[in-house]
């Protein structure tokens, strides 16, 4: 199949305005559709946010298909009106951003990706779904599948990072977890939203078509294959076309090529924002564009409600386009079982047994623990808590019950939050803990508390500094141009480190920060992200001896000038010398050769994708076979033995990377293809086998068609994207 010509033909067919795809049908859907008035049909295509009970009449009239941000008793009330008092009794969808938990808050999605553990992520999504469904929510706007290569972008916190294979695995797991528990998932934001220029939210994106297909689209494909009932279009424009009116990508690629029959919803106001983009004259044109692209439901704004009756009556929008959209909305309602819910119930899932808060908390603790990435350790960790007389706990994030939850937390119960301070009091007793925030707030420049922090460090055996970003510094429309520790945090760290006490720095943040200046002062550096409700217990587990196992789902830059940064960049004709830094920071500007590097900065990240230490010492054996040949369409097994020579039990995340040595287009230096979390007791050896299918080597070739090209491939299995045992294989024609 040739995507380029597919896109062209998709475009041609949609320009003729006739719906070219089958929309779902069932006896119930067919029957309803036959009985609905045009106004009732259009009603199904609207999602609005009521103020309290403001939309009772609209719901009774069948003039609305979904409500956003209505939960609890209000949801039950509106559902009763829809089912019992509207003419056709069609139930409502209740949408809500359940992004990383509901009452119990799990780590932000970026942190969840750092666990490299899709099974645990699935479990967490299922737990969140149970809590949300109990409050009447039946549709979550998650997972966010946007590949993020630019940490300035605030929504990197909601992403699974820079790698398509990791993001696909995490996204699919979340979809499964939500939907197992009766919550419709929503794959968002289709597509390329993370490529916003300059990391500035909502800004234009330019993604070459090959990169779009090889990098940005696969996580969406995986989420849809996992059964995501819905998908959301993005706010931005891709090469000049706002995604909410992108016929070629939404109707053409998603519907016609991929055969997706789920419900496509716009983002908040993104239909009418096409007017602000300057791509639609007025609401009527915005409606036409969005519906022609097959955006079934409009979120928040009401252009469909205002203009569609007229557009259909005038023949400017074919009724068939409205009908197909209505079918998709009804289909989701049917799939969720809403038509068969008990009277007065928002959905069948709402009637499941009340979720067990303690079980969710335990899961949140596990996931938070497994998301922590130990970046550096000179041996100060783990801490022998019982042997320490006093611990100094310093920093503005040490007792931040709300900020530790991270962005997009509408429903988190602060009473379920345990901070690091509380968890250390529980572990050590208040007498052995000296608490000194140092700064009143993470962004504060007020240095008057630093002396107290220094005094606390001097009076203790060890200093634990909880630094980073408050929750408001990441998330939607929260981009940053500077990526250092905010406020006077670096001064605080330097002052504490000067005491000579062993210093452990824990970074709680919604994005990778530039930690280049912090690193030299840290005996140990732990990237904790925003770990959620169980931040304190999870950190104390790891500080006290449970080995960390998280790995970086993103490259950590040395300086803002390196971004956008990602490990899987293309090979250049003038690569930087293999093992040498380009030019270390701070050297005079003296070009040393014509290489792809910086004059004033090392070209490599501070820490690479996949990096993460633990308390063991794992040695990778040789890969078997060391070389092999595989025919297209076949699989190959690669095995090796991991040996934990250390004294601690660990989980080693082994990662398999491939490089296509010579292809018809330039290919990435390395690409992650598979990963496995391998538990290893002290001294244990364990054989690990990866199965690699040649389909996993496919990319979009010169004519933009997917292809697996014959030829030599290099393969590594290792602890991050820069190291590992090496093998080769050939793909034969
Ligand atoms: C965001 C979406 C979100 C929606 C509903 C928008 O501003 O971009 O991700 O699901 O709001 O809250």
């Amino acid at each position: 199949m040739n995507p380029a010509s597919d896109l062209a033909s998709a475009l041609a067919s949609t320009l003729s305005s006739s719906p070219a795809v089958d929309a779902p049908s069932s006896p119930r859907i067919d029957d309803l559709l036959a009985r609905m008035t045009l106004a009732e049909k259009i009603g199904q295509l609207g999602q609005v946010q009521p103020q309290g009970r403001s939309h009772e009449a609209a719901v009774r009239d069948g003039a609305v298909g979904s409500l956003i941000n209505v939960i609890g008793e209000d949801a039950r009330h509106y559902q009763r009106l829809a089912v019992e008092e509207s003419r056709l009794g069609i139930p409502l969808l209740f949408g809500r951003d359940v992004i990383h938990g509901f009452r119990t808050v799990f780590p932000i999605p970026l942190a969840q990706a750092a666990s490299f553990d899709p099974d645990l992520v699935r479990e967490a999504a299922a737990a969140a779904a149970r809590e949300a469904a109990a409050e009447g929510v039946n549709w979550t706007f998650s997972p966010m599948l946007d590949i993020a290569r630019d940490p300035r972008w605030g929504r990197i916190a909601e992403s699974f990072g820079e790698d398509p294979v990791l993001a696909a695995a995490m996204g699919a797991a979340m979809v499964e977890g939500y939907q197992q528990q009766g919550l419709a998932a929503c794959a968002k934001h289709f597509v390329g939203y993370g490529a916003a220029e300059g990391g500035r939210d909502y800004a234009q994106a330019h993604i070459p078509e090959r990169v779009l297909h090889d990098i940005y689209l696969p996580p969406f494909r995986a989420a849809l294959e996992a059964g995501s009932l819905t998908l959301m279009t993005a706010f931005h424009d891709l090469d000049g076309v706002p995604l909410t009116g992108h016929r070629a990508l939404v109707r053409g690629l998603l519907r016609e090529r991929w055969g997706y029959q789920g419900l496509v919803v716009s983002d908040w106001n993104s239909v009418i924002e096409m007017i602000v983009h300057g791509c639609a004259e007025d609401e009527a044109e915005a409606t036409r564009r969005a519906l022609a692209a097959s955006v079934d439901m409009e979120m928040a704004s009401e252009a469909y409600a205002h203009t569609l009756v007229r557009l259909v009556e005038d023949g400017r929008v074919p009724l068939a386009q409205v009908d197909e959209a209505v079918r998709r909305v009804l289909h989701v309602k049917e799939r969720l079982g809403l038509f068969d819910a008990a009277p007065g119930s928002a959905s069948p899932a709402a009637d499941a047994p009340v979720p067990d808060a303690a079980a969710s908390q335990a899961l949140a603790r596990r996931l938070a623990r497994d998301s922590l990435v130990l970046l550096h350790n000179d041996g100060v960790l783990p801490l022998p808590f019982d042997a320490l007389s006093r611990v100094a706990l310093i920093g503005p994030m040490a007792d931040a019950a709300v900020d530790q939850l991270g962005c997009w937390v509408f429903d988190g119960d602060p009473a379920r939050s345990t901070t690091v301070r509380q968890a250390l009091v529980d572990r050590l007793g208040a007498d052995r803990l000296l608490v000194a925030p140092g700064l009143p707030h993470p962004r504060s420049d007020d240095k008057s508390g630093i002396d107290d922090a220094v005094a606390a460090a001097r009076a203790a055996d060890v200093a634990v500094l909880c630094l980073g970003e408050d929750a408001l510094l990441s998330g939607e429309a929260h981009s940053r141009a500077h990526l250092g520790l905010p406020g006077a945090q670096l001064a605080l760290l330097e002052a504490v480190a000067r005491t000579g006490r062993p210093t452990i720095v824990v970074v709680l943040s919604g994005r990778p920060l530039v930690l280049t200046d912090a690193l030299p002062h840290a005996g140990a550096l732990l990237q904790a992200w925003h770990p959620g409700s169980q931040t304190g217990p999870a950190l104390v587990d790891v500080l006290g001896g449970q080995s960390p196992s998280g790995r970086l789902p993103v490259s950590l830059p040395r300086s803002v000038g390196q971004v956008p940064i990602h490990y899987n960049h293309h090979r250049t004709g003038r690569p930087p010398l293999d093992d040498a830094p380009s030019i270390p920071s701070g050297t005079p500007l003296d070009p040393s050769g014509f290489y792809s590097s910086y004059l004033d900065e090392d070209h490599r990240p501070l820490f690479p994708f996949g990096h993460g230490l633990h308390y063991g010492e794992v040695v990778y054996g040789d890969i078997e076979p060391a070389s092999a040949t595989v025919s297209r369409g076949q699989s190959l097994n690669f095995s090796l033995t991991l040996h934990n020579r250390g004294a601690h039990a660990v989980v080693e995340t082994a990662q398999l990377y491939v490089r296509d040595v010579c292809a018809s287009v330039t290919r990435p230096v390395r690409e992650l293809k598979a990963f496995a979390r391998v538990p290893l007791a002290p001294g244990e050896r364990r054989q690990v086998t990866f199965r690699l299918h040649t389909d996993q080597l496919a990319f979009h070739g010169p004519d933009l068609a997917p292809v697996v090209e014959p030829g030599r491939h290099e393969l590594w299995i290792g602890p991050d994207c820069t190291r590992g045992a090496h093998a080769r294989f050939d793909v034969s024609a």
Side-chain angles (χ1 to χ4, degrees), residues 32-53:
L32 279 171
L33 208 68
R35 292 192 288 134
M36 289 168 95
T37 64
L38 179 58
E40 283 166 336
K41 288 178 179 175
I42 293 166
Q44 287 301 308
L45 310 186
Q47 179 184 63
V48 290
Q49 174 171 273
Q51 301 303 319
R53 306 268 166 113

Side-chain angles (χ1 to χ4, degrees), residues 68-69 97 99 141 155 158 188-189 193 202 232 235 267-268 299 408 410 476:
I68 182 169
N69 296 334
D97 289 280
I99 305 297
F141 302 118
R155 300 196 85 168
E158 295 174 65
K188 74 183 188 187
H189 308 83
Y193 182 38
Y202 317 127
M232 186 188 293
F235 283 125
D267 203 343
W268 186 279
M299 181 191 287
W408 281 113
F410 295 141
E476 185 177 348

Side-chain angles (χ1 to χ4, degrees), residues 123-400:
E123 264 188 72
R130 277 192 294 275
E131 290 187 358
E135 298 281 351
V137 180
N138 49 33
W139 182 13
T140 174
F141 302 118
S142 171
M144 189 184 100
L145 301 162
D146 300 303
I147 293 295
R149 295 171 160 186
D150 191 332
R152 292 172 298 183
W153 190 50
R155 300 196 85 168
I156 194 170
E158 295 174 65
S159 82
F160 300 121
E162 72 190 39
D163 184 78
V165 168
L166 182 62
M170 293 296 162
M174 267 194 184
V175 167
E176 289 160 3
Y178 292 137
Q179 295 196 169
Q180 276 162 14
Q181 298 299 327
L183 206 59
C186 184
K188 74 183 188 187
H189 308 83
F190 190 79
V191 54
Y193 182 38
E197 223 172 69
R200 202 159 42 85
D201 211 358
Y202 317 127
Q204 65 193 25
H206 296 283
I207 305 176
E209 208 163 322
R210 181 170 299 107
V211 178
L212 185 69
H213 283 277
D214 285 343
I215 304 287
Y216 287 86
L217 284 166
F220 285 93
R221 189 72 189 255
L224 302 191
E225 279 168 7
S228 185
L229 287 171
T230 77
L231 173 142
M232 186 188 293
T233 56
F235 283 125
H236 69 296
D237 80 281
L238 193 56
D239 193 20
V241 185
L243 268 300
T244 299
H246 208 306
R247 283 178 301 194
L249 278 175
V250 187
R251 187 178 286 273
L253 179 85
L254 194 70
R255 301 286 193 205
E256 295 183 355
R257 247 182 86 208
W258 292 2
Y260 182 58
Q261 301 215 0
L263 188 172
V264 173
V265 63
S266 76
D267 203 343
W268 186 279
N269 278 355
S270 70
V271 171
I272 58 166
E273 285 175 11
M274 285 195 284
I275 304 170
V276 191
H277 272 288
C279 276
E281 196 72 47
D282 52 20
E283 284 199 342
E285 200 183 336
T287 297
R288 280 189 55 196
R289 277 200 81 149
L291 215 65
S294 95
V295 173
D296 305 309
M297 183 177 275
E298 178 182 10
M299 181 191 287
S301 56
E302 295 181 77
Y304 286 13
H306 297 159
T307 65
L308 205 41
V309 171
R310 189 68 182 274
L311 287 168
V312 173
E313 283 172 358
D314 290 354
R316 284 185 288 157
V317 167
L319 180 61
Q321 261 182 21
V322 174
D323 284 352
E324 68 172 84
V326 174
R327 283 180 177 280
R328 294 192 194 105
V329 174
L330 296 178
H331 175 67
V332 172
K333 294 181 176 184
E334 191 168 56
R335 283 285 303 275
L336 289 175
L338 302 189
F339 289 101
D340 307 313
S345 162
S347 73
D351 305 326
V354 177
D356 174 359
S360 297
Q361 294 286 86
L363 192 58
R365 180 174 182 162
R366 245 177 89 201
L367 188 48
R369 195 166 57 213
D370 289 356
S371 303
L372 303 178
V373 184
L374 180 59
L375 298 172
H376 163 75
N377 185 14
D378 67 7
V380 59
L381 288 182
L383 291 174
F385 276 135
D386 293 333
L388 298 175
S389 40
R390 271 186 299 269
V391 171
L393 178 64
I394 295 168
M397 292 297 288
D399 198 21

Side-chain angles (χ1 to χ4, degrees), residues 632-683:
R632 271 191 287 203
Q634 303 294 312
S635 299
L636 262 181
N637 284 353
F638 292 97
S639 301
L640 87 176
T641 300
L642 301 184
H643 178 200
N644 180 7
R645 289 206 303 220
H648 290 261
V650 301
V651 174
E652 171 70 13
T653 300
Q655 302 155 41
L656 185 150
Y657 295 89
V658 167
R659 175 189 296 165
D660 189 345
V661 174
C662 184
S664 52
V665 294
T666 46
R667 304 281 300 122
V669 289
R670 288 189 191 193
E671 292 176 292
L672 182 72
K673 294 296 175 190
F675 53 87
R677 284 171 57 90
V678 186
L680 292 164

